Amino acid sequence: MQVTEESHRGIVPMNHSNKDGNSSAENGEGRPLIKENVRQPNTSPTQSRERVSQGLAGVRKAAGNNKEMKFTALLHHLTVELLRESFCSLKRKAAPGVDGVTWQEYEDGLEDRLTDLHGRVYRGAYRATPSRRVYIEKAEGRQRPLAVPVIEDKLVQHAVVTILNQIYEEDFLGFSYGFRPGRSQHQALDALSYALLKKKVNYVLDADIRGFFDDLDKSWLIKFVEHRVADPRILRLIQKWLNAGVMEDGKWSDTKTGSPQGSVVSPLLANIYLHYAFDLWVNVWRKKGAHGEVVVIRYADDIILGFQHQADADRFAIRDRGLTFSFHLSPVFIN
């Protein structure tokens, strides 16, 4: 947790050659990279959007310039404009939470609603609502529990994620692809394809963290967030969401561990947790502890590792990082 590693600055693998030679495939475990493709375009040129963008750009610049900085004042970036953008980003036909309010219903009188919500967040009067528990069928026949938050929780979570992304996109490593701005499953697969064809990969280890979202340790998660975030109001918001619980068949139940799948903030919190619990460690281990080349590609709690030597794969598989893995090791045969 104390290891400081150079950030890869959100660079993603592209299907282009790198002509300037300043980037390498190491950054994203994939093809040579182009930094100009990192930043997300502004979709709305309004003055309010420009103010939001400029403020958040300042956060990102500060995060990139000082990897040890703790941000003590972030909530003022959560504006009515940002809440409005968050509302527009929601899926119109998404299922409602426990209050039954749909996107269309919340849109009626939207500006007054957003102003009131913004005021409650700033006064500390905002309360997180329990999520509605639903289940979806998994491929193997089991059911996966999902949490459906109410719209106001989605709005505040989306706004907070937008703010925190400015910090963590400067911190997260290049082999982390899941649920990050400008990254996708396709880029993770592209990185894997490149590694198999161009890197010294003779063995592939498919690793899955069992029950990660359900068993995530909340106290450690908050400690990890506190490495960078020292604004007590942002920390209280996160704790409210983690402790809101779920409603199922009209009954409330507490969630002692985990971050509910389905909430807007859960993917970012999961990435923060794994950044400190796994990514920083494995990045140092593969450079200083492994005997051969090691490639890492992580998408949320699913991880692919490529090894030059089987001995390194065997050594990795017995490591205890406080996470419960399921492993499947396969040799690579490429004509």
Side-chain angles (χ1 to χ4, degrees):
M1 290 184 294
Q2 302 304 321
V3 176
T4 301
E5 287 295 308
E6 181 180 357
S7 168
H8 297 285
R9 296 186 178 276
I11 301 173
V12 298
M14 305 297 294
N15 295 322
H16 299 62
S17 62
N18 181 36
K19 297 181 180 179
D20 62 14
N22 293 328
S23 300
S24 71
E26 176 66 14
N27 289 33
E29 305 297 323
R31 303 176 190 275
L33 313 175
I34 297 178
K35 292 186 178 181
E36 286 75 9
N37 291 285
V38 176
R39 302 300 179 183
Q40 298 298 304
N42 289 333
T43 56
S44 174
T46 62
Q47 287 186 340
S48 62
R49 177 67 182 116
E50 289 177 358
R51 287 196 300 271
V52 171
S53 298
Q54 291 171 0
L56 295 182
V59 174
R60 184 154 190 162
K61 182 178 180 180
N65 289 339
N66 188 346
K67 299 300 180 183
E68 304 299 324
M69 176 183 290
K70 292 189 176 184
F71 290 82
T72 58
L74 290 171
L75 191 68
H76 68 278
H77 294 289
L78 199 159
T79 62
V80 173
E81 290 84 2
L82 186 54
L83 289 173
R84 187 184 301 111
E85 289 182 14
S86 299
F87 177 76
C88 293
S89 72
L90 297 181
K91 294 180 179 179
R92 272 62 166 168
K93 297 182 179 180
V98 294
D99 60 0
V101 177
T102 65
W103 189 93
Q104 290 77 13
E105 290 171 334
Y106 199 86
E107 186 182 26
D108 184 22
L110 178 63
E111 292 306 314
D112 290 338
R113 291 178 185 270
L114 295 180
T115 300
D116 175 68
L117 175 59
H118 179 263
R120 281 185 280 127
V121 170
Y122 268 73
R123 297 194 308 272
Y126 161 80
R127 297 290 181 267
T129 303
S131 297
R132 182 167 62 88
R133 171 67 56 81
V134 298
Y135 295 88
I136 61 172
E137 292 288 339
K138 298 181 68 174
E140 65 271 24
R142 293 185 300 164
Q143 289 188 323
R144 169 177 293 175
L146 290 181
V148 181
V150 299
I151 286 183
E152 287 199 338
D153 286 345
K154 290 181 180 180
L155 297 183
V156 183
Q157 288 183 22
H158 189 282
V160 169
V161 167
T162 301
I163 295 168
L164 295 184
N165 271 341
Q166 311 311 310
I167 300 171
Y168 290 106
E169 283 302 303
E170 294 295 323
D171 291 355
F172 290 158
L173 303 189
F175 56 71
S176 169
Y177 288 91
F179 307 108
R180 292 178 57 187
R183 291 181 167 234
S184 68
Q185 313 94 299
H186 302 292
Q187 290 167 343
L189 290 171
D190 183 63
L192 176 60
S193 174
Y194 184 89
L196 293 176
L197 294 172
K198 301 296 185 181
K199 298 278 191 171
K200 297 176 182 179
V201 174
N202 299 314
Y203 299 90
V204 170
L205 188 67
D206 181 9
D208 176 74
I209 304 175
R210 290 200 295 265
F212 172 69
F213 282 92
D214 295 332
D215 298 329
L216 180 151
D217 189 308
K218 295 180 184 179
S219 62
W220 273 109
L221 172 59
I222 295 299
K223 291 176 183 177
F224 291 150
V225 174
E226 287 175 340
H227 277 294
R228 284 295 240 167
V229 179
D231 187 330
R233 298 172 298 178
I234 295 291
L235 294 172
R236 279 196 296 269
L237 286 174
I238 294 173
Q239 290 170 325
K240 285 179 180 180
W241 296 322
L242 291 175
N243 297 324
V246 296
M247 293 288 293
E248 185 175 0
D249 297 329
K251 295 181 180 180
W252 178 85
S253 61
D254 190 9
T255 49
K256 300 294 184 182
T257 60
S259 180
Q261 293 187 69
S263 73
V264 178
V265 74
S266 282
L268 174 61
L269 296 181
N271 274 333
I272 293 172
Y273 193 102
L274 289 175
H275 173 73
Y276 289 102
F278 178 78
D279 293 358
L280 292 179
W281 167 77
V282 78
N283 201 41
V284 173
W285 177 82
R286 66 175 178 167
K287 294 176 180 178
K288 299 182 178 180
H291 297 298
E293 191 165 333
V294 178
V295 170
V296 184
I297 299 166
R298 182 175 68 77
Y299 194 93
D301 56 338
D302 293 312
I303 306 163
I304 296 288
L305 299 105
F307 297 90
Q308 183 178 359
H309 304 305
Q310 183 175 352
D312 284 334
D314 293 338
R315 290 174 60 221
F316 176 86
I318 63 174
R319 295 274 179 165
D320 180 8
R321 296 298 304 159
L323 302 168
T324 305
F325 288 96
S326 297
F327 291 119
H328 179 70
L329 180 65
S330 303
V332 177
F333 301 99
I334 298 178
N335 294 328

